[in-house]
Amino acid sequence: MLFRRPLAAMLAAWIACAPTPVPAEPTEENPLAAQLDPDYAAGKLAIEAGQWSAAIKRLSSAALRDTRNADIQNYLGYAHRQLGEMDAAFRHYELALKLNPRHRGAHEYVGEAYLMVGNPGKALVHLDALRKICLIPCEEMKDLEQAIADYQAGNKR
C-alpha cells in the first residue's frame, strides 16, 4: 500500500506536466480524422494544392463514411466556394454549423461567402458569432473582420 501512493502521485505529476498536443489546424475538431481516412487526407491535400474539383470528390467520399464531421463539411463548402458554386458552398457551411455551431472556420468561411454574394449583413452575423466564440481574438475572427473591412472599402476579395 505504501508503495502505491508515491507511484500514483508521481504518475499524476507526470500527467499534469505532459505537454498537450496542439492540432495542426486550429479550425479542426478532430485533427486525427484525416490520418484515419485516406479520402479526407487526399481532399485536404487537394485543397492545399488548389485542386478544388479533386478536393470535392475525395471529401465527398469521406463525408459518406463520416456523416458527423463538421470539418469535412467546412472544407467541402470552401472548395465549392472557390469554384463559385455558392449554393453548394452554403449547403455545406450550413451543415458544418449544424454539426458544430461553434466551428470557427465555418463561421469565417460562410461570412466570406456572404460577402462574395453581396450580403454583408449576414457576414456580420457570423462575425458576431465569432466574437462570442473567441474569448480572445482568434485568427478566424480577425480574418473575417478584415474581409468585411475590405468589402466595405470596396476592395472585394
Side-chain angles (χ1 to χ4, degrees), residues 1-18:
M1 285 265 179
L2 294 176
F3 177 72
R4 289 185 186 161
R5 196 169 273 153
L7 182 60
M10 285 181 8
L11 181 59
W14 179 79
I15 290 171
C17 294

Side-chain angles (χ1 to χ4, degrees), residues 6-157:
L7 182 60
M10 285 181 8
L11 181 59
W14 179 79
I15 290 171
C17 294
T20 304
V22 177
E25 296 188 27
T27 59
E28 288 196 47
E29 298 172 334
N30 184 358
L32 298 178
Q35 294 174 1
L36 300 175
D37 187 320
D39 283 322
Y40 185 9
K44 285 180 62 176
L45 288 174
I47 282 182
E48 290 172 16
Q51 299 170 340
W52 313 121
S53 294
I56 290 168
K57 181 179 178 183
R58 298 303 290 268
L59 290 167
S60 293
S61 293
L64 292 173
R65 289 185 296 279
D66 193 352
T67 59
R68 303 205 33 86
N69 189 320
D71 297 324
I72 292 173
Q73 296 303 321
N74 184 45
Y75 285 130
L76 279 164
Y78 181 80
H80 280 288
R81 179 168 60 111
Q82 296 305 312
L83 289 174
E85 299 168 352
M86 302 308 286
D87 289 339
F90 284 117
R91 275 195 313 275
H92 287 288
Y93 290 137
E94 182 179 318
L95 184 51
L97 290 170
K98 182 177 179 182
L99 292 169
N100 179 3
R102 298 179 57 83
H103 196 289
R104 296 182 319 220
H107 279 291
E108 175 193 348
Y109 289 160
V110 74
E112 291 171 354
Y114 278 120
L115 294 175
M116 290 176 69
V117 298
N119 192 339
K122 288 277 195 168
L124 288 168
V125 168
H126 290 280
L127 178 59
D128 186 52
L130 283 169
R131 286 182 174 143
K132 291 174 184 167
I133 293 166
C134 302
L135 298 178
I136 58 173
C138 60
E139 181 180 343
E140 296 83 1
M141 185 180 82
K142 291 176 187 176
D143 289 349
L144 185 53
E145 282 176 334
Q146 185 62 54
I148 291 170
D150 289 348
Y151 179 90
Q152 291 171 337
N155 303 325
K156 297 179 183 177
R157 290 182 173 192

